[in-house]
Amino acid sequence: MAPPKTQWASYFFRQGRRDKTRPEQDGGGSHSPTPASDQGSDTEALQPPPGDISLSEAKMAAMLQELRSSMKEDLQLAVNDIRREVHEVGTRLNALEEKTDDLCQANDGILDKIRRMESEQVRLTAKLADLEDRSCRNNIRVRGVPESIAGPDIPEYLRQLFTAIQPSLEPADLRLDRAHRVPKPATLARDIPRDIVTKLHYFSAKDAILTAQRKSTAMPPGYETISLFADLSPMTIARRRDFINVTKCLRNHKITYHWGFPTKLLIWRNGTLTKLEDPDQGMHKLKAWGLFPDHAPPNHPATPGQVAQEWTKVQRKK
């Protein structure tokens, strides 16, 4: 079926050929201007017949209807494809959400186990440090003894030192099970003498020596460069070092304190016993007592808290 425009073009082409085949008037001379009546008749001759117009309109309407049906079918197919893809995406999203929920629950369980293991590790570490400290509870670490005192001379030198610090001790009380030097850290200068660790047979003698040394303002003559310390595990020493600001303030205000297990401070103040298990807790307690300035820096940097992760599953209508 030829389009309407093609039909109109063929119609006017045929009409033009009929006009050219008309017999010429006046022996083929030049044409004179066409009167108005002749122009009207030509215009009427150019108009298509009424039957052709109604036929072209019907064909155009049929073509439009066919185009509308074709477009509707194409749109329906496209919409069906989009719906199918959206359904597939929704199915995949639901599966991902369910897996994410399972992963979140598994992650929470792992975090709980890690927290329990960390707590158990801290407990076991503290217990191990306590066992090490108990095994060395009769030991005294002596610092500052010249390297010229070596070998067999060390026990006799220590007995004289302990007698000078605590004269009330009998020679039988100063029984030494062992005495020897220990390696020093690589960071210390070479001219600094190594420490001496000695184990007294009686704990009462060891405690009496350290107590007298703490109460005295200076060491006996001839031993001014000597210092005595309890022989503790490295973990306990590091833990006590965290309390250095608290213990320094307590000594400045002449407040009595003792060390407990696991590492904590036992403070006697105004007839009341206060237990401090954390350096930050000790700083807050000293500020509450008015013993420490408010502008003092914190003993430990703030530890960032863990960000809680939340997941809400979206319920979709099927």
Side-chain angles (χ1 to χ4, degrees), residues 167-235:
S168 62
L169 291 176
E170 299 293 335
D173 298 332
L174 297 177
R175 178 181 173 182
L176 304 181
D177 292 342
R178 66 181 62 91
H180 59 86
R181 291 189 182 270
V182 294
K184 65 180 178 180
T187 56
L188 294 180
R190 298 183 60 182
D191 57 342
I192 298 179
R194 294 171 295 170
D195 293 350
I196 294 177
V197 173
T198 181
K199 180 179 180 181
L200 282 81
H201 188 76
Y202 301 105
F203 174 79
S204 58
K206 174 253 186 179
D207 187 63
I209 293 171
L210 292 181
T211 301
Q213 191 264 343
R214 282 195 300 266
K215 292 182 178 180
S216 63
T217 58
M219 293 294 289
Y223 302 100
E224 290 84 356
T225 60
I226 306 300
S227 300
L228 303 183
F229 304 94
D231 187 27
L232 302 173
S233 64
M235 187 173 300

Side-chain angles (χ1 to χ4, degrees), residues 39 58 68 70 94 118 123 141 171 227 231 270 279 301:
Q39 293 178 0
R68 185 182 300 109
S70 177
N94 289 333
E118 289 178 347
R123 188 187 70 82
R141 181 176 289 262
S227 300
D231 187 27
N270 298 331

